[in-house]
């Protein structure tokens, strides 16, 4: 009995120690995330050097969280924020890698996943890779509960237009109008539908007006 009680006590202490350790890590990760985000959003517009330094420090702090506390609840948000910080520093390739790491490491975090794919699509657009951008936006369309699905439909439609695929573009614009009638993008989508349909079915040119017959001259 005594041995059993001792073992139970030791197990309880071990579990408590593990819980305490994880709570400490979570607290430290949150503190670093807040500090990094503060640096990111308090960059003085009248001091370019200070603004650049703050951005660099924010990126370093985000990386530290991911290196030291990758399994804390804060880590997915930090991974997303790191990609955004890279975008703001015009390091598009690093931003793409950060977003892709989110999808592979924290893909179960559906509350952020749609936004990550949206930013990933934008990063590919900045880079000029239309096929990869379309793939990123299409990933949002495969997520039924994504809050930004209307945005993805619109972006995919625009990309299909740019790639000279009017039928595919029309399909996505029409789905946007039907499924999300209250989206702020519906008015522009409706205009694009009219433009595409007008190009597909041009109105025939009006026939030239017949000239009036000349009056016979008097004898």
């Amino acid at each position: 009995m005594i041995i059993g009680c001792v073992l139970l006590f030791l197990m309880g202490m071990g579990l408590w120690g593990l819980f305490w350790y994880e709570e400490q890590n979570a607290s430290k990760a949150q503190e670093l995330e807040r500090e990094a985000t503060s640096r990111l959003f308090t960059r003085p517009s009248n001091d370019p050097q200070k603004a650049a330094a703050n951005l660099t420090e924010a990126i370093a702090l985000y990386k530290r969280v991911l290196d030291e506390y990758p399994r804390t609840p804060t880590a997915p948000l930090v991974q997303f924020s790191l990609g955004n910080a890279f975008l703001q520093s015009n390091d598009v390739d690093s931003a793409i890698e950060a977003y892709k790491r989110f999808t592979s490491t924290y893909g179960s975090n559906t509350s952020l996943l749609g936004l990550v794919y949206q930013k990933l699509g934008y990063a590919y657009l900045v880079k000029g890779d239309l096929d990869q951008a379309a793939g990123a936006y299409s990933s949002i369309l495969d997520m039924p509960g994504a809050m930004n699905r209307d945005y993805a439909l619109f972006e995919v439609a625009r990309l299909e237009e740019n790639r000279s695929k009017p039928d595919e573009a029309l399909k996505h614009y029409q789905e946007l109008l039907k499924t999300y009638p209250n989206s702020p993008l519906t008015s522009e989508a409706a205009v694009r539908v009219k433009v595409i349909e007008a190009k597909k079915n041009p109105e025939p040119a009006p026939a030239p007006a017949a000239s009036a017959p000349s009056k016979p001259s008097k004898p």
Side-chain angles (χ1 to χ4, degrees):
M1 289 289 292
I2 296 175
I3 294 174
C5 291
V6 171
L7 290 175
L8 287 174
F9 175 77
L10 292 176
M11 289 176 61
M13 289 296 293
L15 290 174
W16 179 86
L18 179 61
F19 177 77
W20 178 85
Y21 179 76
E22 291 179 349
E23 284 294 310
Q24 289 295 308
N25 284 346
S27 178
K28 291 177 183 177
Q30 286 181 339
E31 183 178 346
L32 288 171
E33 187 274 332
R34 284 194 294 266
E35 184 179 352
T37 302
S38 176
R39 302 282 178 89
L40 187 64
F41 289 103
T42 57
R43 288 173 293 157
S45 58
N46 59 347
D47 190 345
Q49 289 186 343
K50 177 62 175 175
N54 280 12
L55 182 56
T56 300
E57 291 170 4
I59 290 173
L61 288 168
Y62 285 139
K63 286 182 176 180
R64 181 180 169 188
V65 174
L66 296 172
D67 289 340
E68 298 180 12
Y69 312 107
R71 290 182 293 276
T72 58
T74 308
L77 176 61
V78 169
Q79 185 69 58
F80 178 47
S81 299
L82 177 62
N84 297 340
F86 277 132
L87 265 187
Q88 293 187 40
S89 66
N90 296 319
D91 189 350
V92 180
D93 288 334
S94 294
I96 289 172
E97 287 303 314
Y99 294 137
K100 289 172 66 176
R101 183 179 177 186
F102 182 103
T103 63
S104 62
T105 307
Y106 307 110
S108 60
N109 190 316
T110 55
S111 60
L112 285 176
L113 189 59
L115 292 175
V116 171
Y117 275 121
Q118 179 177 324
K119 285 288 191 175
L120 179 59
Y122 173 76
Y124 277 125
L125 283 178
V126 172
K127 196 174 180 180
D129 193 335
L130 301 187
D131 291 337
Q132 292 285 4
Y137 290 127
S138 296
S139 295
I140 302 174
L141 301 183
D142 295 332
M143 301 168 57
M147 299 297 292
N148 56 342
R149 200 167 181 273
D150 59 331
Y151 179 90
L153 281 168
F154 184 80
E155 289 299 326
V156 169
R158 286 206 311 172
L159 285 167
E160 297 295 12
E161 271 197 274
N162 292 334
R163 296 192 294 180
S164 300
K165 296 180 179 180
D167 291 334
E168 289 296 315
L170 188 62
K171 180 181 71 174
H172 288 101
Y173 282 134
Q174 289 174 337
E175 183 180 352
L176 170 59
L177 294 172
K178 179 181 178 181
T179 311
Y180 304 99
N182 297 322
S183 169
L185 298 169
T186 53
S187 58
E188 191 171 351
V191 171
R192 298 312 307 163
V193 167
K194 291 180 181 179
V195 170
I196 294 173
E197 290 180 339
K199 289 181 179 178
K200 291 179 62 177
N201 304 299
E203 295 182 0
S211 58
S214 57
K215 295 182 179 180
S217 58
K218 292 183 180 181

